[in-house]
Structures are given as structure tokens and as C-alpha cells.
Amino acid sequence: MITQLLAVSQPVPAGPVVQWGWLTITVANLVVILAMVVVFVLALVLPFPSDREDEDR
Amino acid sequence: MSRGTGGWGPTPDAHAFPTRRYDLVKEFVIALAVVSVLSVVAALVFSSPDEPAISLQQWARQAPSDVVATAAGELAGTTTSAGYGPPYNTASEGQSLGPVDLQSLPGVTQPVDPAKDLVLDPVRTLTSDAASSAAVRVWDAASADRQQAWASAYVDALAAAPDGDPAKVASGDYGPVPAIAAAELRLAESGSLEGLLTSRTSFFGVDSTKALLLLADGTHLEDAARAQNLGGDQWGIMNETGNYPGQPWLWLYSLWYQVPPFSTSDNADIAVWALMIVLSIGFVCIPWIPGLRTLPKHLGVHRLVWRTRR
Amino acid sequence: MSRAEVSPRATSEASSAGAGRTTWTAAVTRWVDGLVPKGQWLPDRQPVYVASWIYVFGVACLSSLVVIIVSGLVLTLGGVTWWHTSSFGHFVNSVHLWSVELFFATMVIHMWGKFFMASWRGNRGMTWATGALAFFGSLGTAFTGYLIQTNFDSQWISTQAKDGLNAAGIGAYFNVMNLGQMVLWHVSLLPLVVGGIVTVHVVLVRRRGVAPPIDATDPTADAGEKVAT
């Protein structure tokens, strides 16, 4: 009965999760967080377009 | 200048430095365009989750014995809301942090008497149903002790029955409780229970408190949530139904519930809240906290930002 | 569209220069004028050290907020449950969700950047503090958005979140299971609070200018002598 119950109450399958010890995180959240870290690192590393001639003084 | 410099020594005025052309409006317009396009594309490609709400009718159809057990539990005072305490009732003290009892401080601001509000009052509306009307009359005429004995015995009997099936409950002295619980189930099955729970406060059913308390007192809602990894001990605060990102920004709040002493404490909610409030105040006050306010100097990440000029 | 003609008569602009004026209006005008240094409301030049992609995330976050507000306003047109039954409504809800994810992602990257740059230096502590408050205000606003989805997610989140809020005594006044109350908080009260905090934050940024590099010397001081830190 329990399995039957779960089958009807679960129209959408749960997304995958990854687990390291006590840390559990959904892949969707992990992708968002990793993307943020990557964008942050790129923002620090990539050269910012600038034109020396725009400088004054 | 006598003003404190926060452990950094004097910082030069930004307006004293040479400048270069920087088109803020253009930057904003481009950012707005990029963010708009990203949002629309993500919306088109990924859409957004919308798992329908569980109606009390669905609950009755998919887990009828859970509805019966919950109704009996409300009468016996064994459900979460029946034993909750403030702000719903005085059934318990609620959580406290040592001598500090913030939960009791405001008192009962949203009164809910689960036996009456969630079960008996709705069942009383079944005036054309002779069996349930009679059952409610017997219940009303009995002493509080008698009511408690009947309801508790029925809760225990349901728990002992195979699959919690009311039809397989061992015979015993349950008084009118099985009839009342069965009437609650019929109300739920008919689809009228939600209205009876929400329209009691207002013709306009905008306050879903009672219907949600009843639903959460059962196990069906939690079973469905756990199947979606939404349980509190599954880092569920951060998660979303289906394969979608949820609120990853709540990671720290979510974390505390996974580790001792919080994961094993009866006062976990207030302990985690207190900790998060302290940490949040600390976060706001970083510029004034010695040690923390000068930490970035030692981390050296700033050298990547200001590469040409130091 | 033609521009409004400028009156040749004396205007408030001219009279605000007269510091001796004692009208309340003149006092407010002076206060507004003094919020940021002259020419710094929307300057078209920035200090030379503002040359890194990390500086764009504040503006990216602000842009995301614009998309959030616009998509949120479209959702209000149809009402609370409209998006369950309309495919356009569902699309607008999706835009609302993804702009919120972008809003938080850009805000957090902005905060990481500002932390590592110690951008609270030079009397900019309140700029950091208002930014942090905007973050916490946004958490609350996003949370109430989850509560008013009127779907399974809202049922679960509201019945779970009530315990923490009740334990802290907040639930007595802020009932997360009361849909009507949460709708009003989400579409009116909290956006106004966040908008107000963000406004103060942006004014403070313009007032103080962008924090100079760590260990930077004052270019107007004696030739390149390093300021002791």
C-alpha cells in the first residue's frame, strides 16, 4: 500500500542528489553554486576591456 | 582626521584618483539586456516547477487511513498541532533557549483548538447524516476523561492494525471516535473539508492555516515531500520539487539542521534561529569587527582585481 | 517629444544656491544636493582602478531586480493562481523564478567581490551593512514568494517553516500558513523594504565613490609615498 501511495503522490520524479558523508545536495543546486564560483573566478581573471586613451591626468 | 579607519589606516578619497571614461548607463542597459535574455531563455528551456497542491480530497483518496488516524489523533491530542502550544494553543510550552522563551512571549495569537476546529466542527455540519450526528452528540455528552480514553484507545488500535486500516482495527471501547473519524474522511472525500476549514474565518478563503495544520498532522504530506528530498534532515530547505534549483542561498541555515547538537535537539528550531540571527548580525557588522575587517588583506584575492595598480 | 521650455524666471535651482534660505523646501533641496558630491549622481568617469569584471555584478544584480519586478508585476495582473492554468502565466512565472536565481547569484558574487576587496574601507561601513541588509531582506522576500505559489511546494514549505518562526516568536504575527497575509507581504511590503534598502545602498555607493585598491596611495599626496597601513 505504501508503494502504491508513493506512486500516485509522485507525479514528478525527484531530481538527482549527490552525497558526501553528511553533505547532501541536489545536482540542480550544485550546478547553480558551481556556476557562480566559475563566473566569480572568470570575473577576477579575465581582462577588463579598457582604453588607455580614455584616461586623464 | 579623528575618525577611526577600521584597522586600515587612512584610505584615500576615491575622487582624488585619475579617472577614465566609464559609461554607467550603457553598463546598466547592457546588463539589463543580458539578464533579460538569460531569464527568458532559461524560462523557455527549463520552465519552472509547479507540482499541484495536495487537496484534502486527494489525501482522502490516496491515504484514507492517514486521514482517519489524523482525525483520531486530533481528538486524542496526539497530533503535532494538538500538542503545539503558542501561537495556536496552550497545549505545551513550545521551544525555548535556556531561560529565554520567545515562543510563549506573544501568547496565543492564532487560536486553533485542533479537536474542535479541525474535526468536530466540520463533522457537525453533516446534519443529514444520522450516524455522525449521533456520534458527535455522544462525544459532547461524555466527560473529558472519557473522550480522552476513547480517542487514545482508537489511536493506539489504528497504529496496531495492519496498514493502519480502520477496517482491520481490533474491537475495543472507542466510543463515538471511529464514527467521527469516518465522518471526517467522508467530508474530505467529498471535497468539502477544505471549505469548512478555510471559510470558518472568512467567506473569502484566504487563510489556509487550519487546512494546512490538518494536512501536516498526517504523514501523507511528509511522505510526498521526503520523496522529493525536501525533508529538513535532507537539506530540504534548499531544495525544490523535481529537478530544479531551490533556494541554495539558504545553505547555512539548512546546514545546522544536519549536524549535532541541532540535529538531535528538541529545541533545534530556536537554537538554529538564534545562531543564524547572531551570524547575520555579525555579517552586517563585518566592517567593525577587528580581525574580520582586515582579513581580506591577508587573503590576497584583491591582487587579482587590482593587477596593474597597487 | 520636445523638451519642456525652460522658464526664464527664477527657479528652485537658482534659489537653492542661496544658502541663507530658511524654508523647509530649501532645507530639503540642500539635503538632497548634499547626499552625493556634485556631479557624482551619474558620473561618466570612474577612477582608473575600476577596471575589472568584478565591478559589473552590482549593476547586474540591480538589472535582475528590474526583471524580477517587471515579471512579478505581470504575475499580479492575473492573480495568485493564474499561472497554474495559463501557459503564458506559467512562462512569466518561469521568468520570475530564473531572474530571482540570477538576482541571488549576481548578488552573492558581488558580495564575494566586495568582501575580498574590503570595500568597507574609507568610511564605507554603512555601504557594506546596507548591502548585507538588502541580502537578508531579499531572502525573506524570496521565501514569501515560495509560500504564495499555491502548490505542493507552498504547502510543504509553509508547514515546515512555521516551526522555526514560531519558536522565535515571529510566527505569532507573521503567519506563513495564511496565504492572504503572505501574498500582501510578498507583493507589497517586502519589495518596498528591499527597494528602500537598495536605494540607500546605491546612494551610499555614489556618495563615497568606489573604494580605492588596498594599499593605494593618495595620488594628490607627495610623490607616490606609500600611506602607512
Side-chain angles (χ1 to χ4, degrees), chain C residues 127-214:
Chain C
T127 315
W128 171 273
T130 50
L133 284 176
F135 175 63
F136 293 121
S138 304
L139 291 185
T141 312
F143 169 67
T144 52
Y146 280 85
L147 297 177
I148 66 165
Q149 293 177 97
T150 55
N151 59 12
F152 168 73
D153 218 22
S154 312
Q155 289 180 313
W156 177 248
I157 293 175
S158 60
T159 50
Q160 288 300 293
K162 74 176 195 300
D163 297 331
L165 289 156
N166 288 339
I170 302 166
Y173 311 103
F174 179 78
N175 179 6
V176 290
M177 294 185 297
N178 183 340
L179 175 67
Q181 188 187 9
M182 290 306 108
V183 168
L184 294 179
W185 277 71
H186 182 71
V187 305
S188 168
L189 197 58
L190 290 173
L192 282 174
V193 170
V194 170
I197 299 171
V198 168
T199 304
V200 173
H201 180 69
V202 171
V203 168
L204 285 172
V205 171
R206 297 300 345 126
R207 183 184 179 89
R208 301 276 173 218
V210 181
I214 292 174

Side-chain angles (χ1 to χ4, degrees), chain C:
Chain C
M1 202 164 68
S2 64
R3 294 169 64 190
E5 274 182 40
V6 178
S7 164
R9 302 247 171 91
T11 61
S12 59
E13 195 188 328
S15 60
S16 72
R21 290 300 190 93
T22 54
T23 62
W24 292 13
T25 310
V28 170
T29 307
R30 273 197 303 278
W31 178 74
V32 172
D33 282 349
L35 279 179
V36 302
K38 208 168 167 51
Q40 291 303 314
W41 272 112
L42 207 53
D44 65 350
R45 304 191 71 81
Q46 288 292 330
V48 281
Y49 52 78
V50 183
S52 166
W53 284 107
I54 199 65
Y55 285 109
V56 307
F57 287 91
V59 164
C61 179
L62 216 50
S63 309
S64 307
L65 184 58
V66 172
V67 181
I68 290 172
I69 290 170
V70 170
S71 56
L73 286 176
V74 176
L75 284 172
T76 63
L77 296 178
V80 180
T81 58
W82 170 59
W83 72 285
H84 298 304
T85 51
S86 153
S87 57
F88 177 64
H90 193 111
F91 167 73
V92 178
N93 178 77
S94 304
V95 173
H96 198 59
L97 167 74
W98 290 104
S99 54
V100 168
E101 294 285 343
L102 280 170
F103 173 71
F104 275 103
T106 49
M107 181 169 8
V108 169
I109 293 171
H110 176 64
M111 284 195 309
W112 288 344
K114 295 304 159 188
F115 174 79
F116 286 117
M117 291 189 268
S119 298
W120 50 79
R121 287 168 296 123
N123 204 21
R124 291 174 179 81
M126 286 309 292
T127 315
W128 171 273
T130 50
L133 284 176
F135 175 63
F136 293 121
S138 304
L139 291 185
T141 312
F143 169 67
T144 52
Y146 280 85
L147 297 177
I148 66 165
Q149 293 177 97
T150 55
N151 59 12
F152 168 73
D153 218 22
S154 312
Q155 289 180 313
W156 177 248
I157 293 175
S158 60
T159 50
Q160 288 300 293
K162 74 176 195 300
D163 297 331
L165 289 156
N166 288 339
I170 302 166
Y173 311 103
F174 179 78
N175 179 6
V176 290
M177 294 185 297
N178 183 340
L179 175 67
Q181 188 187 9
M182 290 306 108
V183 168
L184 294 179
W185 277 71
H186 182 71
V187 305
S188 168
L189 197 58
L190 290 173
L192 282 174
V193 170
V194 170
I197 299 171
V198 168
T199 304
V200 173
H201 180 69
V202 171
V203 168
L204 285 172
V205 171
R206 297 300 345 126
R207 183 184 179 89
R208 301 276 173 218
V210 181
I214 292 174
D215 294 343
T217 53
D218 189 340
T220 57
D222 291 337
E225 195 186 319
K226 238 186 176 180
V227 177
T229 50

